Every structure is written in structure tokens, then in C-alpha cells.
Amino acid sequence: MQAYRHVLLAADFSEHGEEVAERAKDLADRYEAKLSVLHVVDNLPITDSIYGPIIPFDVDITEQLINASQEKLAQIGQKNNIPEDRRWVEVGNPKAEIVRVAAEEKVDLIVVGSHSRTGLGILLGSTAANVIRHANCDVMAVRLIEE
Ligand code: AMP
């Protein structure tokens, strides 16, 4: 069995993010692996079947979101000892981008949070479930308990 060499933390900046980050850092430390962090700015326009996109893809908003994300990643990076060149922001579908970046960067362990779901959440499907299904490396789903 090979030790992990590159751990990727998928950060959505939610209230539970710290728990997920701590787990990723702990695993990276134990394996003496590199730790990288990725946030994906979701660019899905909200669409209506009759009127089409209600909020069209807006470059300005996306740029602002990218800048804000970089600031948040800087905080996570400083706290968890992740160097600047391994703090990544991508624009797109988070489920697909996490898998794509992990493959491209030769990540061998992705760490994501996993919520228990009810209602609409079950229908939409969780990021963790999608990443587990499509990633070609191991995935650690950190169970997040809602208060
Ligand atoms: P969700 O299924 O959307 O509640 O997200 C569960 C986990 O997926 C989060 O704890 C993150 O690890 C990851 N994740 C969700 N959205 C994003 C995003 N936009 N960028 C990076 N990671 C994300």
C-alpha cells in the first residue's frame, strides 16, 4: 500500500469548513504529503424553462467572487500551512472541477465534507457522493453533523 503523497482539500467556505480542513491537514501531516486547497466558484446561471437565464453569467460578479475566494483561501492556507501556489480557485461546476483538478494535479486523496440530506438536497445529490463516484483517487468524506 502506497502512502498518500498529495492531499486536496475541497473548500466551500461553509461553517463546517474548518472541520474538513483540519482533517485534510492531519492526514497530510501523517503521510508527510503535500496539501493543496481548491475552491470552485459555481458559474451555473439560474435558468427558467421559458425565459432562459434569469441571472446571466456576469464577468464582473465572477471576478469579484474569484477575488473574495482568493482572500478566503489565503486565510485557510495560512492556518493550514498551504503555500500560495497550492491555493487554487476555479470557475465551473464544483462537482466536476474537484474531480478534474485532482486528476490534473495527480492528487491521490481528496477530502470533502459530507452532510446528511433531506428533501431537495437528496434530489440534487451531494458533492461528496459525486466526487466519490467520479474521482480516480481515494476520497475522504468528513461527516458533518448539523446542529
Ligand atoms: P455539499 O454537498 O455541496 O454540501 O458540499 C459538501 C462538500 O463538498 C464541502 O464540505 C466541500 O468539501 C465540497 N464543496 C462543495 N462545494 C464546493 C465548492 N464550490 N468548492 C470546493 N469544494 C466544494
Side-chain angles (χ1 to χ4, degrees):
M1 191 188 71
Q2 211 170 27
Y4 294 118
R5 283 177 300 197
H6 191 177
V7 177
L8 176 65
L9 162 64
D12 65 352
F13 307 145
S14 67
E15 52 172 334
H16 292 291
E18 211 157 307
E19 256 173 273
V20 185
E22 275 173 15
R23 181 65 67 190
K25 168 135 181 25
D26 181 61
L27 285 164
D29 286 348
R30 284 171 197 266
Y31 283 99
E32 297 180 2
K34 283 193 293 188
L35 178 58
S36 302
V37 61
L38 168 68
H39 176 74
V40 184
V41 174
D42 202 331
N43 71 352
L44 259 193
I46 298 170
T47 54
D48 179 281
S49 55
I50 297 168
Y51 300 107
I54 296 169
I55 302 176
F57 183 69
D58 184 315
V59 174
D60 278 336
I61 289 178
T62 306
E63 258 173 36
Q64 282 171 27
L65 289 174
I66 290 173
N67 292 340
S69 301
Q70 272 158 350
E71 276 172 34
K72 295 215 174 198
L73 283 186
Q75 290 166 15
I76 295 174
Q78 276 157 18
K79 190 158 184 201
N80 295 286
N81 227 354
I82 305 171
E84 261 179 65
D85 61 345
R86 290 208 299 272
R87 302 172 192 165
W88 303 321
V89 180
E90 295 291 341
V91 179
N93 175 341
K95 294 168 185 167
E97 285 302 298
I98 294 168
V99 170
R100 181 186 68 76
V101 170
E104 249 179 54
E105 300 292 339
K106 300 191 171 48
V107 162
D108 44 21
L109 178 65
I110 302 171
V111 180
V112 290
S114 170
H115 301 273
S116 55
R117 304 224 163 219
T118 52
L120 191 62
I122 294 174
L123 289 177
L124 293 174
S126 74
T127 306
N130 263 270
V131 171
I132 289 168
R133 200 171 307 135
H134 297 289
N136 56 10
C137 65
D138 289 0
V139 179
M140 156 74 76
V142 179
R143 189 92 171 121
L144 303 172
I145 312 290
E146 306 296 334
E147 307 271 290

